[in-house]
C-alpha cells in the first residue's frame, strides 16, 4: 500500500518546474498531443490498475515528450486519469441514450429497461474499457471535486430515467437518492459474475436480470 508520504514524494518527483510563458502550439498540434497523452495513459492504466501506480514519467516516455509537457494539458494526475475514463463514460452514456430513444416514448419503464440492457451490452462488448472504468483504483478527492467525476454522466442519466418512471406512477422502493447507485451496483455485480463464472455466455441471462432488478426496485 502506498503511504501518504510516498505519494507526496512521487508527486514531488512528477511536479513540473516553475512555469514560464510558452509559445502557442501550431493549430491542431496541441489537441493531437493531448490525445496521444490520453492513449498512452489509458494503456498504462490497463496494465497497472491504479492511479497511484501510474507514473507520469512513463506516460511521457510512451508519447516521447518531457514529463512537464503533460502539465500543459492536465493540471495533475487525477485530471489525466479522469479524462481517460471520461471518454469511455461518454460512450456508454451515448449508447444508453440511444437505447432510451429507441424505446416507446410513452413508456418510461421500457426506456429505463432499454438503458440498463445497453449498459450490459457495453460491458460485455468492451471488457478492457469496462475494467478500466470500474476497476481502476483512484486517489480520493474532496467532495466538491468529486462532483466532476465522469461517472456522474451515468448516475444522472439513471436518476432522470427513474424520475420519468415516478412521474408515470411508479414508486421507487427504498431511498430515492440511493436508487441510481443501487442500479449501477447491481448491474456491475451481475455483469462481473457473468464474465468470470465458467458457464456458457448467454446475454439473455443479463436481460432477465434487468427484468428482475426493475421488478424489485419499482412498484405501482
Amino acid at each position: 500500500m502506498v503511504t501518504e508520504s510516498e505519494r507526496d514524494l512521487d508527486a514531488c518527483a512528477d511536479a513540473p518546474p516553475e512555469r514560464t510563458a510558452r509559445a502557442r502550439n501550431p493549430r491542431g498540434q496541441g489537441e493531437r498531443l493531448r490525445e496521444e497523452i490520453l492513449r498512452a495513459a489509458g494503456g498504462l492504466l490497463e496494465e497497472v490498475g491504479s492511479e497511484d501506480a501510474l507514473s507520469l514519467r512513463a506516460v511521457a516516455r510512451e508519447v516521447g515528450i518531457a514529463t512537464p509537457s503533460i502539465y500543459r494539458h492536465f493540471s495533475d494526475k487525477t485530471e489525466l486519469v479522469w479524462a481517460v475514463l471520461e471518454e469511455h463514460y461518454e460512450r456508454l452514456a451515448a449508447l444508453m441514450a440511444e437505447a432510451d430513444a429507441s424505446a416507446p416514448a410513452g413508456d418510461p419503464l421500457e426506456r429505463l429497461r432499454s438503458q440498463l440492457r445497453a449498459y450490459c451490452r457495453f460491458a460485455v462488448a468492451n471488457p478492457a474499457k469496462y475494467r478500466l472504468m470500474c476497476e481502476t483504483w483512484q486517489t480520493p478527492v474532496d467532495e466538491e471535486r468529486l462532483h466532476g467525476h465522469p461517472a456522474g454522466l451515468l448516475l444522472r442519466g439513471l436518476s432522470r430515467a427513474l424520475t420519468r418512471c415516478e412521474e408515470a406512477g411508479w414508486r421507487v422502493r427504498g431511498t430515492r437518492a440511493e436508487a441510481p447507485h443501487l442500479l449501477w451496483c447491481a448491474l456491475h455485480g451481475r455483469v462481473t459474475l457473468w464474465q468470470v463464472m465458467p458457464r456458457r455466455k448467454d446475454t439473455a441471462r443479463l436481460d432477465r436480470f434487468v427484468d428482475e432488478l426493475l421488478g424489485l426496485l419499482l412498484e405501482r
Side-chain angles (χ1 to χ4, degrees):
M1 178 178 297
V2 179
T3 67
E4 184 174 352
S5 60
E6 289 171 330
R7 194 175 297 125
D8 291 340
L9 287 172
D10 185 64
C12 290
D14 279 336
E18 184 175 348
R19 299 185 181 186
T20 58
R22 66 181 181 86
R24 179 177 298 178
N25 287 322
R27 183 179 298 275
Q29 182 176 323
E31 185 60 31
R32 286 196 298 272
L33 178 55
R34 185 180 189 277
E35 290 301 315
E36 290 176 13
I37 293 170
L38 286 173
R39 298 287 80 75
L44 290 170
L45 272 176
E46 289 183 18
E47 296 177 13
V48 301
S50 79
E51 181 179 328
D52 282 348
L54 179 68
S55 164
L56 293 185
R57 286 190 295 273
V59 174
R61 189 164 53 248
E62 284 286 315
V63 181
I65 58 176
T67 303
S69 297
I70 294 176
Y71 291 94
R72 296 172 182 171
H73 301 272
F74 304 97
S75 61
D76 57 19
K77 190 172 12 176
T78 292
E79 183 179 342
L80 172 58
V81 170
W82 287 17
V84 171
L85 301 180
E86 183 176 30
E87 177 182 354
H88 304 318
Y89 275 108
E90 286 180 345
R91 179 56 181 158
L92 172 57
L95 291 173
M96 292 174 71
E98 290 173 8
D100 181 286
S102 70
D107 190 342
L109 180 60
E110 195 59 33
R111 291 171 66 182
L112 175 56
R113 190 190 319 276
S114 295
Q115 286 201 51
L116 301 186
R117 288 180 173 177
Y119 177 102
C120 294
R121 295 294 187 273
F122 174 88
V124 168
N126 303 278
K129 293 178 181 177
Y130 186 73
R131 284 194 301 272
L132 190 66
M133 294 163 61
C134 297
E135 298 180 18
T136 298
W137 287 81
Q138 299 168 55
T139 302
V141 297
D142 60 51
E143 196 67 25
E144 182 177 357
R145 187 173 188 181
L146 186 60
H147 288 309
H149 193 280
L153 287 170
L154 171 63
L155 292 169
R156 288 190 293 271
L158 292 174
S159 184
R160 288 192 296 269
L162 287 169
T163 296
R164 289 196 299 262
C165 289
E166 291 175 309
E167 292 171 347
W170 293 93
R171 187 177 72 83
V172 177
R173 293 189 176 100
T175 304
R176 174 62 177 81
E178 290 298 323
H181 298 271
L182 188 152
L183 282 174
W184 187 16
C185 289
L187 289 176
H188 174 63
R190 186 65 187 92
V191 164
T192 299
L193 289 173
W194 185 92
Q195 289 174 328
V196 302
M197 293 302 291
R199 64 185 308 161
R200 186 170 61 87
K201 304 305 181 187
D202 180 5
T203 55
R205 294 178 62 85
L206 299 177
D207 291 343
R208 291 194 294 271
F209 177 80
V210 167
D211 294 341
E212 289 287 341
L213 179 59
L214 290 176
L216 291 170
L217 184 64
L218 296 169
E219 65 178 0
R220 275 191 156 162

